[in-house]
Every structure is written in C-alpha cells, then in structure tokens.
Amino acid sequence: MFKSSQPLNRTRSNFNFAAMAATCRRHFFSLQGEGQGRGNAGVVRVQLLWAVSMCCALLCIQYLPHSISAEPILASSLGFCKTVPVLRGAPLHCCLPAPTRKPIRFKFPTCANGGPPVVRERKPVHVVQNDPEYVRKYNLAYARMKALPDSDPRSFLNQWRVHCSFCNEAFKQRELPGPLGKATGVLLQIHYSWTFLPWHRMYLYYHERILGDLIGDPTFALPFWNWDNQLDPIAGMMPFMFLPNFPVNNSALTDVNRNPNHMPPKILYLGYNGKLEAEGKQNLTDEQIRYENLCVMYNQVVTKISARSFLGGPYVVGTNNTAATVNVAAGETPGESGGMEIVHNVAHEWTGLINNPAHPDNEDMGNFIYAARDPIFYTHHSNVDRLWDVWKTIPDKVTIAGNRQRVDYTSSDFLDSEFTFFDENQDMVIVTIRDSLDSSKLGYKYADVSESDNLWINYEPLPPHKPSEPWNPSHWPAVVPSGNNTIGKVPSSFKLARRAPTKKDLKGKGLKHLNQLQEDIVLEKMRIPHSAYARFDVFLNFPEANRETHLYMSEYVGTFTHLPSGMVDMSASVSHSSVTESDGQFRLFNIRYSVGQALRRLGIADWNTDVVVTIVSKGLRRTNPTIDFYFSDIKQDFQ
C-alpha cells in the first residue's frame, strides 16, 4: 500500500536547481556573445533577461509534470527475485536470466527505410485453425521456442517465467527509473490495477515478435480466442487447434493440464462457477449460456465507461497489493481490478484443471503461476487485448448525458509506469505504459468481428423482476462502516443510501457536467485469502437472488472473480504487516460495480431513492466455505 508518510528517494523528486541555473547561464552567455558588436545594448539586455526568464520557465514547466504527485510504478526483472510458493510442491523458480547487453529504451517499430511497420493482423482462432499452412507455421514457431536453451530469454520456459514472476510478487518495485534502480521493500504485482492491460499488451507484443522471428516471418501474428462471440457456434469453444488429434501437426500447442469436462462442444460460460458445477447445479442450455455471456460482457465492458472501472484502480510506487492491512490515513489504497480483468479471469478458470484433487493449484490456466505454460494463454490474452481497443469505440450508453468519450488514464503516474521485457534479439527493453496505448503504432491490428461484438454492445436485459411481496430498502440493515460485514454461504443484502452527484465529484475527472458522471457502487476492502477462489455476483433491488439465480436480468450489475495466486505463506514477504496462519493470509480489494444504467432500467430516477444491494458468494471450490468473507463498507461513488 502506498505510504505517503514515507518519502521515496527518487530522481524525479529531486529538483536540481543548480543544474537548472547552470543551463540558464549557458544560454545567457551564448546569447550575450551573439549580441556583442550590435548597436543597441539596451535591446540586447532586454533580450537576454527575457531569454533567461523563458529558459527557467521552460525548464520548470518541463519538470513539473513529473515532480507533482508523479510516482509511477517502476519494475524490472533485474536484481531482487524470490521464488513463488504453490499449494503443492516446492516453491517455483520464476526468475529471468540477466541480459548480456545493456538494456535499451523502447522504440516504435518501423520498416528498414524508416516508414510504417509491417502490419501483423491477428485473426480469430476459430477461423485460422481452418488454414493448415497457418497452423503448421504457428506450431513450428512454438516448437522452436520450446527448443531454445534455458539461458535464452526467448525460450518458452522463460516466456512462462515472465508472467509467473511479474504476476506473483517475485520482484520488488523500484525507486529510480531504469532496470537497475534501487529496489523498494514493496513486492510487485501487475494484476488488480491499471497496469493489468498495458503490461499484458507489451508481453504479447514481444512474445509475438519472438515467434515471428524464430520462423523468419515478420508478418506472423498471434490468433485471438474470440470467446465473447455468441454469433458463431464454435467461437466460444476451446479452440480445436490446441487440442490433441488435430488433423495438422500441433504437438507444440497442446497442454495436458486442461479441463477434460470443458472440451468441445462445451461453450465457455462467462458466468461459470466451479463449485456449482461440482454440485451438479450448473445445468444451462447452450442458448442460456450464450444469453448470459452477452449479459456478462455488457456489464463488465459496456457499462464501464470510466478508465477506472474498465482498466482498474491506480497503482503507484509503495502500493502493496499483497498486504492484508490498509491504513487509509497514511494514504494507502487496496487493489482494484477493472471490468476487463475480472471477465478475463473466468476464461482462465474454465480452461484449467478445476475440481481435481490431484491438482489443487488448478494448473495450468486456472492459476496465474502456471497459466503461461499453456499456449492457449496467449491467444486468450490476445482477445483481452482486442477488447481494450473495442472498449474505446463503444458509444456512451451509460451516462445521463450520453456524450462521454471512453479514454485511458492521462496521469503521469499511469503513463510513466515502467517495465522490462526481452525482445526477439535477446535485448532487455525498457517500456512505459504510454508506449502501449495505441496498438496501431505497435504494428498490429485485429480482424473485424464487429458483428458479434454488437450483440453484447447492444444487449438488452430482461424486464425487471416483480417481487412476490411488497418491500422497501428499510427492511434490510445498512453496512456498518469499518466493520466486519460478512458474506457467507447465504446471500447478504444491505440497504444503501444514495445521493445526487455534486461538483466535488467532477474534480480530477476531466469532465464538464454532472450528467457525464457514471454512478458506481464500491465494496470496500473485501478480504480474500491469497490461495482462495472467490466469486461475488451483485444484484440491485433483488434480495431473493441466490447462487442459482440467472444473470440475464435487469437487477444483475456485475461480477468479481478472484483466482488463487499460490501465495500460501506470506509471513516473510508482506510489507507493512505481519500475516500469520490465523490471519488467513489474505489481500484486500475494492470491488466496483457500475450501476447507473441498471437503476434507470429499474425505474429509479430519484437520486434520493435508497436501494438494496445483494451480494451472492458462489463459495470456495472444493468444500463449503469454512470461513466467511468480510468487507468494510459499501459506498456510492461517481467516476
């Protein structure tokens, strides 16, 4: 967690006035030399004074965006690296080899003549798997990657280690820019925040370039698993190209750790819950699955118009997304996943080995530690990356004004966050989030599947449910702020008092009118064990909701899914807190649900109308919950 009371010794925070003055003096004497021999000395003096003033002003302006509250995350695979604990077996070594050459700064790709780069077109996997030539090329690329030695950072083993380490707290954040900047005492985690989408985009970018280079094809592109597509009957199935007995050699694309119960013709269900499946209570028809999938995509992507709700919450130097305590007074904030990260978790879980006692870690895809060992991981994340681009194009169907643009964060904390990756030449490259924001500059594009996208973009939920008996929100208790509010096996309902937005809510959001704000409900400081699976579905004004309630209804406003991270012993690695076995070894989250549009569908137009928030926990995976989940508060928020 970020501790404002602990200042960091970072280059950007040390403004060198002496250096600025020296620079100005150089400009001054340069101009003085130019002025010698001229007739009007007064004019020259005025010009010199003006030049010095402008010089100082420009230098100050250039510095200020970095010096005021600029604490972007600085990450590197050099230096400190610890092993990653798992539920079964010895801790894993996910550390990456050191570069053989000095790290370089990222440059956008260009052709040899300096022109635009060759464009790689990423196509749906259910389409390209019908092209034998492409499958052979794809398989060959992975075969060659898997044949590389462990010392080569391009090897498939090291490609897996990139994700295993950055996503499971193997490294520490750094205080200074560059791959060798001094490490802080805070562990690095690129999930649960605004770094999730940009980091994975650049991870795929280099992974794709390495594959293409290994087969000598600069146009080679990863496919994308178009699991949000409810139009094509096979798009949401586990892609045939990655499965055994495929008619074209695909031996380098298979993985033994996939769920045998989810093979084709099973369709990926975005409302999936492994516990209900194990109990035999998740029996939906394909038609019902497709309709619920549209509803989930609508609530996790379309209704998320703010950068915070879609990309995730801020993540700055000092933020500890592994910690089990949070001190708000000291400026600490919990982790906060965006809508895209949450829906992506379901595909991970559904593909991995779940409900298998021999595999408690749900490997490969079902656990962030192992996920990148499965080649299907990269085509899954290719679709996640595509949806980031799609999100920016969706018209405003969320706010009252209806004219708000979907844009990424613009703060330097976000844009200057820094990571390292190895490229196709085995060079370590330093990239920033600002390098990742425009996929066209990175030299790739996605095939148009807008016809299927439009199904969930234009989705219309079923009419509101009619209660069997009259009720009002006062029948349910309000949350006790800063208390241990419980979510157990039985759904929990709470009254939430609402208010109208004020000008104060506009501050820092770059908006002009109150009607451009998005209304959210936030579950604050939800406590979840690191090694536990958790899923929470949330409904408004539907206290009858339970674990088997369908999602395709107006009252459903979204989901939160947490996958086990394998952090089973945090006692030696968590900063700012001491976690023991009795503490549950948990992390804290804020969970955000966008509700403005749902409230209007339910006929609630008055800002002063209270609502009932019902939280349905789907429970732990293999047994009934032996512990309850706790959170500190439910709040209305505007973004």
Side-chain angles (χ1 to χ4, degrees):
M1 307 298 171
F2 177 65
K3 292 223 172 194
S4 59
S5 58
Q6 295 182 351
L8 298 174
N9 179 23
R10 299 178 67 243
T11 298
R12 288 175 180 169
S13 298
N14 297 331
F15 191 16
N16 192 333
F17 286 96
M20 185 190 77
T23 302
C24 287
R25 282 196 298 271
R26 286 195 297 272
H27 282 273
F28 179 89
F29 288 117
S30 173
L31 285 171
Q32 189 177 43
E34 291 177 9
Q36 288 176 353
R38 293 182 184 172
N40 193 336
V43 172
V44 171
R45 282 194 296 271
V46 171
Q47 290 175 335
L48 292 175
L49 289 172
W50 176 86
V52 171
S53 300
M54 287 302 296
C55 173
C56 293
L58 287 171
L59 285 172
C60 288
I61 290 170
Q62 183 179 16
Y63 173 78
L64 281 173
H66 298 282
S67 63
I68 298 177
S69 302
E71 299 290 344
I73 285 292
L74 302 170
S76 169
S77 61
L78 283 178
F80 171 89
C81 183
K82 70 175 186 63
T83 55
V84 175
V86 293
L87 287 174
R88 176 171 293 183
L92 296 177
H93 171 80
C94 295
C95 303
L96 292 160
T100 58
R101 296 180 289 273
K102 182 180 178 181
I104 59 177
R105 284 280 172 185
F106 173 83
K107 292 183 179 179
F108 287 107
T110 60
C111 286
N113 61 3
V118 174
V119 177
R120 306 167 186 260
E121 185 176 15
R122 297 179 182 175
K123 300 178 180 179
V125 67
H126 68 277
V127 174
V128 296
Q129 65 188 8
N130 297 320
D131 180 353
E133 182 181 353
Y134 177 85
V135 177
R136 292 189 190 98
K137 184 187 299 184
Y138 192 33
N139 185 72
L140 177 62
Y142 272 107
R144 290 181 175 176
M145 179 179 276
K146 291 182 175 183
L148 293 174
D150 190 24
S151 58
D152 192 323
R154 303 170 302 164
S155 72
F156 189 73
L157 183 62
N158 281 318
Q159 291 294 295
W160 158 67
R161 285 172 173 160
V162 173
H163 192 266
C164 176
S165 57
F166 275 92
C167 302
N168 291 283
E169 297 96 20
F171 303 131
K172 288 183 178 178
Q173 301 167 16
R174 296 188 173 271
E175 294 181 2
L176 301 172
L180 291 174
K182 180 184 176 183
T184 68
V186 182
L187 296 173
L188 177 73
Q189 169 58 260
I190 56 84
H191 288 91
Y192 321 120
S193 76
W194 64 17
T195 59
F196 168 75
L197 284 171
W199 185 91
H200 282 85
R201 169 168 286 184
M202 298 310 295
Y203 178 34
L204 287 189
Y205 171 77
Y206 285 111
H207 187 78
E208 181 177 69
R209 290 178 69 88
I210 291 169
L211 290 171
D213 186 70
L214 290 172
I215 58 175
D217 184 356
T219 67
F220 174 81
L222 289 166
F224 62 92
W225 180 12
N226 195 194
W227 38 256
D228 59 293
N229 181 343
Q230 308 307 311
L231 188 63
D232 192 301
I234 67 170
M237 298 178 189
M238 202 176 296
F240 304 138
M241 184 173 72
F242 293 95
L243 306 180
N245 303 316
F246 193 72
V248 181
N249 179 24
N250 69 338
S251 57
L253 305 179
T254 58
D255 185 277
V256 296
N257 294 326
R258 295 182 188 140
N259 195 325
N261 298 319
H262 294 164
M263 295 296 164
K266 291 291 182 67
I267 301 167
L268 170 57
Y269 174 36
L270 296 178
Y272 174 73
N273 177 251
K275 182 166 178 55
L276 284 177
E277 183 180 62
E279 295 172 352
K281 296 178 180 178
Q282 191 160 264
N283 300 311
L284 283 77
T285 66
D286 285 355
E287 183 179 5
Q288 288 174 319
I289 289 175
R290 294 186 191 284
Y291 200 66
E292 291 213 358
N293 284 351
L294 294 175
C295 179
V296 172
M297 287 298 297
Y298 172 78
N299 279 285
Q300 296 299 126
V301 179
V302 179
T303 66
K304 311 289 188 184
I305 197 167
S306 71
R308 181 162 192 156
S309 62
F310 182 74
L311 276 81
Y315 185 37
V316 295
V317 166
T319 300
N320 191 340
N321 279 336
T322 71
T325 59
V326 56
N327 183 353
V328 176
E332 299 176 354
T333 56
E336 185 179 316
S337 297
M340 191 66 255
E341 180 179 358
I342 292 169
V343 75
H344 122 282
N345 287 350
V346 181
H348 270 281
E349 179 190 18
W350 186 85
T351 306
L353 284 170
I354 195 170
N355 297 322
N356 187 329
H359 296 273
D361 283 299
N362 193 209
E363 63 266 32
D364 281 336
M365 276 284 283
N367 190 312
F368 293 150
I369 294 172
Y370 298 104
R373 297 195 309 192
D374 187 343
I376 207 171
F377 167 93
Y378 303 94
T379 192
H380 162 48
H381 267 276
S382 187
N383 194 48
V384 172
D385 182 72
R386 181 188 73 86
L387 290 168
W388 183 10
D389 282 349
V390 172
W391 173 77
K392 297 178 187 180
T393 69
I394 300 174
D396 178 5
K397 300 181 179 182
V398 177
T399 70
I400 295 174
N403 61 0
R404 181 169 168 179
Q405 298 295 311
R406 299 170 192 259
V407 295
D408 299 316
Y409 287 99
T410 58
S411 73
S412 59
D413 291 0
F414 175 71
L415 297 173
D416 293 335
S417 292
E418 186 177 277
F419 308 102
T420 59
F421 295 95
F422 283 96
D423 69 6
E424 65 274 20
N425 301 314
Q426 303 186 54
D427 282 317
M428 176 179 278
V429 185
I430 306 164
V431 303
T432 63
I433 285 181
R434 70 171 69 247
D435 299 325
S436 73
L437 301 183
D438 188 342
S439 59
S440 65
K441 290 184 178 179
L442 296 172
Y444 69 89
K445 67 177 182 179
Y446 288 99
D448 181 19
V449 291
S450 56
E451 186 178 2
S452 61
D453 290 342
N454 286 333
L455 290 182
W456 51 262
I457 291 173
N458 299 316
Y459 170 81
E460 290 288 342
L462 293 180
H465 176 80
K466 293 183 179 180
S468 55
E469 296 181 7
W471 59 268
N472 65 67
S474 63
H475 294 165
W476 283 268
V479 166
V480 179
S482 301
N484 282 332
N485 301 287
T486 306
I487 303 174
K489 288 181 287 185
V490 178
S492 304
S493 296
F494 302 91
K495 181 184 75 173
L496 175 67
R498 295 170 62 245
R499 64 170 177 85
T502 66
K503 290 185 178 180
K504 185 178 179 180
D505 295 307
L506 288 172
K507 186 177 180 179
K509 298 183 175 70
L511 303 175
K512 295 181 179 180
H513 307 292
L514 295 178
N515 284 345
Q516 291 178 306
L517 287 166
Q518 164 186 305
E519 183 177 0
D520 291 343
I521 288 174
V522 180
L523 307 185
E524 290 194 328
K525 289 183 261 185
M526 180 71 72
R527 172 180 138 164
I528 301 175
H530 289 268
S531 58
Y533 163 81
R535 179 183 174 99
F536 306 107
D537 293 333
V538 169
F539 299 82
L540 296 183
N541 284 2
F542 189 51
E544 303 164 47
N546 58 53
R547 293 195 304 150
E548 298 177 51
T549 298
H550 287 299
L551 305 183
Y552 45 75
M553 54 193 306
S554 289
E555 291 85 353
Y556 168 73
V557 292
T559 289
F560 173 82
T561 302
H562 174 258
L563 298 184
S565 68
M567 299 292 290
V568 295
D569 181 10
M570 295 297 298
S571 58
S573 59
V574 173
S575 302
H576 314 315
S577 65
S578 175
V579 180
T580 65
E581 183 70 22
S582 61
D583 290 321
Q585 299 149 0
F586 57 89
R587 61 161 48 98
L588 298 179
F589 297 92
N590 284 345
I591 307 176
R592 182 176 299 273
Y593 298 91
S594 301
V595 301
Q597 201 172 27
L599 289 169
R600 292 193 292 275
R601 280 199 308 271
L602 297 175
I604 300 174
D606 185 351
W607 290 108
N608 296 316
T609 301
D610 297 343
V611 296
V612 173
V613 179
T614 299
I615 308 167
V616 180
S617 171
K618 295 296 179 68
L620 303 182
R621 281 175 171 161
R622 287 173 292 280
T623 62
N624 286 330
T626 56
I627 60 170
D628 292 326
F629 296 107
Y630 300 97
F631 65 99
S632 70
D633 206 353
I634 297 180
K635 288 186 177 179
Q636 180 192 34
D637 186 51
F638 295 96
Q639 288 292 318

